[in-house]
Amino acid sequence: MAYIVQFSDVGKDDVSLVGGKGANLGEMTRAGLPVPPGFIVTAKAYYGFLDIAGLRDRIAQILANLDYDDNQALGRASDTIKRLITSAEMPKDVAEEIKKAYRDLSGPEEDMYVAVRSSATAEDLPKASFAGQQATFLNVKGEENVVDAVQRAWASLFEARAIFYRYDKGFDHFRVSIAIPVQKMVESEKSGVMFTVEPLTNNRDELEIEAIFGLGEAIVTGAVNPDIYIVRKSDLQIIDKKIASQPWKIELREGKNQHMDIPLEQREVQKLTDDEIIELARYGITLEDHYNFPQDAEWAIEGGTIYLVQTRPITTLAPVEAPEEKPTGEVILEGIAASTGMTSGPAKIVHGREELGKVIRGDVLVAPMTNPDFVPGMR
């Protein structure tokens, strides 16, 4: 049985085999969009591993009587399952296929740096977003290390957050499999995300691009505020820019992601040129037209070339009514949105470390929202 497929072998209808991320990487590759090359360890390989290692019954037993609302119990169950997966022996035929595919991808470069990414088979559906729940391993080099990273990515299907989300959304833990895209690393000079609708107001006539210097980890984790550019889709006019100060960036140095200070004179400059903004916007419009649905895409620029490294449907397209008049008063806090969409509600002041801990654990909702189901995963 072949456990490996190339990006060009699959498309958007192959989610059950390669997961949402893998299917979209294949779909974009087939559409001629600029995707870094790679291959996918399919969901069949994961299921085969569970069967050969005899892990299904052991995992099911751990989850059978779990109190999903007990955070400590959930964490213990997660740790136990992940140890079972990472300590089991990788099937030899699967390991050999992964090694060969990695050697073929590396080519004359021999040991290429790759990203080993997770792609759940229920991922990125229009009504449920599994994005970010499983692990990605960057700057992986060498065939043995790639095999090890694949196994660790399998284990991440049972992160505590992923276990709870499946339970909360009614997904059977064994009906959700995981595929692993292995993709050439892009050493990003600039990177970011793009929403093919304006994400706060859901304005479908505009798209938004967020950009930073360096690798995209800093923007995905929210560690760095990005530039924000708004483009009108009908004529590709840049109608708004918000330039953020960026004091540091993440670069790949000697196989590791390093935090690097940005010189003072470069911290306040616009991250993308206007030409780059417009080129990205063209790709965004192409993506939306191809999928016939608004997209949330991730991109990177290396050596002046734009690459698309991921796309998914935007899952928060509920209509948002504009306020009758602009709110007045003193601004006491500014920041960037954690999710697309808009909501409202009274703010809650957090007093001290103890209450902050309750907020982090989810025992206290800081801002009771008028539409709590609007943001994916919000409890």
Side-chain angles (χ1 to χ4, degrees):
M1 179 185 294
Y3 294 112
I4 303 293
V5 294
Q6 302 298 315
F7 286 174
S8 58
D9 295 332
V10 294
K12 62 184 179 181
D13 296 326
D14 295 308
V15 173
S16 63
L17 180 67
V18 295
K21 186 183 285 104
N24 286 324
L25 288 170
E27 185 72 21
M28 289 193 294
T29 299
R30 286 179 166 184
L33 290 162
V35 178
F39 61 90
I40 305 168
V41 185
T42 67
K44 290 181 180 179
Y46 166 73
Y47 278 143
F49 164 77
L50 290 184
D51 291 337
I52 292 171
L55 294 181
R56 284 182 188 256
D57 289 343
R58 298 174 71 181
I59 293 171
Q61 186 176 8
I62 292 168
L63 297 175
N65 298 312
L66 177 64
D67 180 355
Y68 288 88
D69 291 314
D70 183 334
N71 288 339
Q72 292 186 345
L74 183 62
R76 288 193 298 269
S78 170
D79 291 343
T80 300
I81 294 171
K82 288 187 293 182
R83 280 196 301 269
L84 286 175
I85 293 174
T86 55
S87 62
E89 183 178 358
M90 170 75 79
K92 291 183 179 179
D93 54 345
V94 178
E96 287 306 314
E97 283 199 39
I98 294 171
K99 291 176 183 178
K100 182 182 184 304
Y102 173 71
R103 290 193 297 268
D104 291 344
L105 177 63
S106 296
E109 190 175 326
E110 294 187 357
D111 285 344
M112 174 188 288
Y113 282 110
V114 294
V116 177
R117 312 175 70 185
S118 299
S119 181
T121 57
E123 189 176 50
D124 303 339
L125 302 174
K127 294 184 179 181
S129 178
F130 291 75
Q133 294 183 12
Q134 286 80 47
T136 288
F137 301 97
L138 305 177
N139 308 321
V140 181
K141 182 177 182 180
E143 57 187 41
E144 295 291 346
N145 291 329
V146 171
V147 171
D148 177 67
V150 168
Q151 195 160 347
R152 287 187 287 147
W154 284 343
S156 73
L157 188 62
F158 290 92
E159 294 288 352
R161 175 188 173 196
I163 293 172
F164 182 86
Y165 191 77
R166 289 194 296 271
Y167 160 76
D168 193 48
K169 295 296 182 181
F171 286 85
D172 185 288
H173 294 293
F174 294 103
R175 293 292 298 274
V176 178
S177 184
I178 187 169
I180 311 298
V182 178
Q183 187 173 26
K184 179 185 181 298
M185 277 291 300
V186 177
E187 297 182 28
S188 311
E189 297 140 14
K190 307 171 186 179
S191 57
V193 296
M194 172 169 53
F195 304 97
T196 65
V197 299
E198 202 287 315
L200 291 182
T201 64
N202 291 332
N203 185 341
R204 292 173 182 254
D205 298 323
E206 300 170 359
L207 62 78
E208 177 180 299
I209 297 168
E210 299 181 2
I212 62 170
F213 290 128
L215 296 177
E217 180 182 347
I219 189 173
V220 172
T221 59
V224 170
N225 286 343
D227 282 8
I228 296 176
Y229 317 117
I230 305 297
V231 180
R232 188 167 56 222
K233 290 151 75 172
S234 60
D235 57 5
L236 290 176
Q237 290 297 305
I238 303 169
I239 59 176
D240 193 21
K241 299 177 183 177
K242 183 177 181 180
I243 311 303
S245 176
Q246 185 176 342
W248 57 272
K249 62 182 176 178
I250 300 176
E251 285 188 356
L252 177 61
R253 295 288 181 92
E254 299 179 352
K256 295 182 179 180
N257 287 350
Q258 304 281 353
H259 285 222
M260 309 294 295
D261 289 337
I262 295 176
L264 288 172
E265 65 273 13
Q266 297 178 16
R267 294 181 181 182
E268 309 289 336
V269 303
Q270 181 174 314
K271 311 303 182 298
L272 297 182
T273 66
D274 285 1
D275 286 345
E276 288 171 332
I277 294 170
I278 292 171
E279 185 178 359
L280 263 170
R282 290 185 192 278
Y283 284 135
I285 293 169
T286 299
L287 278 173
E288 184 172 278
D289 289 345
H290 182 82
Y291 282 90
N292 197 30
F293 199 87
Q295 297 292 299
D296 166 3
E298 297 178 17
W299 57 268
I301 297 177
E302 178 185 20
T305 299
I306 294 174
Y307 294 96
L308 300 177
V309 297
Q310 187 169 335
T311 193
R312 62 175 72 90
I314 296 177
T315 60
T316 53
L317 287 174
V320 177
E321 296 182 2
E324 295 182 0
E325 57 184 51
K326 186 175 181 180
T328 59
E330 179 186 2
V331 176
I332 61 172
L333 182 67
E334 289 185 321
I336 58 174
S339 300
T340 56
M342 183 180 293
T343 189
S344 63
K348 178 178 174 61
I349 299 175
V350 178
H351 298 280
R353 289 178 177 270
E354 183 178 350
E355 191 167 356
L356 178 59
K358 293 180 180 179
V359 172
I360 294 171
R361 292 193 302 271
D363 299 334
V364 174
L365 187 62
V366 174
M369 298 185 299
T370 57
N371 187 2
D373 293 328
F374 190 67
V375 181
M378 184 66 82
R379 295 172 58 200

